[in-house]
Amino acid sequence: MARFAAVLLAAAAATLLAAGRLTHAVPSTAGVFWRAVLPGSAVPDAVLRLLRPGNNLVSEAEAEGMGAPNLPFDYQNYERSSAPYGYDYKPSSAPYGYDYKAPSEAGEAAPGEHHHAGRGEAATTTTVFFHEEAVRVGERLRFRFPAAAPAALGFLPRHVADAIPFTTPALPSILALLGVAPGTAQAAAMAETLRTCESPPLAGDAKFCATSLEALVEHAMEALGTRRVRAVTSTLPRAGAPLQQYTVRAVRPVDGASFVACHDEAYPYTVYRCHGTGPARAYMVEMEGTREGAVSVATVCHTDTSRWNPEHVSFKLLGTKPGGAPICHLMPYGHIIWAKNVKRSPA
């Protein structure tokens, strides 16, 4: 068995080393799979780029003027953000994730340092959480959208991804296989991704990590209890956009009362960590910026926060408490809301 595993890993490593040649091979399998199981559903741009990893990089010219990386609310890099309350829907050393659990022993950052922009304030920070009342035509919110930072290798073919161990005990072998030096920041980020993927969900809540596009779609179908699903994503500039005020121009509800939200994790190849939202409403919100034009943002409003961590920063920023008014947040570039694909009856 050990000899077989070694041969299997060697084959996977050889494929990874030839990752540049996978650019055209992946769409021929994962792309065909998507069209077969989700007929009539276009592959979102952010997901399509993960099937063609050679096109993932944002040039320096594209990102110029979009702000320094690792700012407090870097939606792509939330776990390593300088502020401990990004969109990290997971138990962690930070007390402000959507872990719904008791606060950890980690020290709290002062919420006022990165506060919600209320009416009349000369705010210099981005909106993170907001009330559902803000999801209305004419409302104004301030956002900064960071540049996309997808995994360099993108989605691996399923047979390759399935051949690579994905457990904490196997981390030394994984690091060796992928050529990541132990003790580095990348190794630590990979360890954190494995840890959060292995942490148990709340009772009754769906949770999974997917290392291939096929696994992502199949697990989303299983979590929603139907094969009729669709992916809802934000349409944002890959190079990001600087902090500015956006005005809501249109709001389109997404059918459903609960969803599956998926967030890309820090790993050499694409890994999505997904969880059930619990009771929620979702919207596609079209907004017009004062500097960068129009964006379309997938938004989730959690309607039952009764099991959330009482110290979650959203309660501090919005002046609410667990079980209070719905709390909303946007979905960053590349993150996905999976919803049941409901066919409306003709009027």
Side-chain angles (χ1 to χ4, degrees), residues 35-82:
R35 291 190 294 273
V37 300
L38 300 172
S41 176
V43 182
D45 175 74
V47 175
L48 187 62
R49 291 183 182 278
L50 294 173
L51 298 178
R52 299 169 181 168
N55 298 327
N56 275 342
L57 298 180
V58 176
S59 69
E60 292 182 11
E62 284 183 297
E64 184 177 359
M66 297 308 167
N70 202 33
L71 289 177
F73 300 114
D74 186 339
Y75 306 132
Q76 295 293 342
N77 193 31
Y78 40 75
E79 185 64 21
R80 295 178 301 285
S81 172
S82 60

Side-chain angles (χ1 to χ4, degrees), residues 44-50 55-56 58 75-76 145-150 233-240 262 264 272 330-336:
D45 175 74
V47 175
L48 187 62
R49 291 183 182 278
L50 294 173
N55 298 327
N56 275 342
V58 176
Y75 306 132
Q76 295 293 342
F145 299 111
T233 60
S234 298
T235 302
L236 298 167
R238 281 199 312 137
C262 295
D264 60 334
Y272 271 100
L330 57 81
M331 295 293 283
Y333 181 93
H335 296 213
I336 304 170

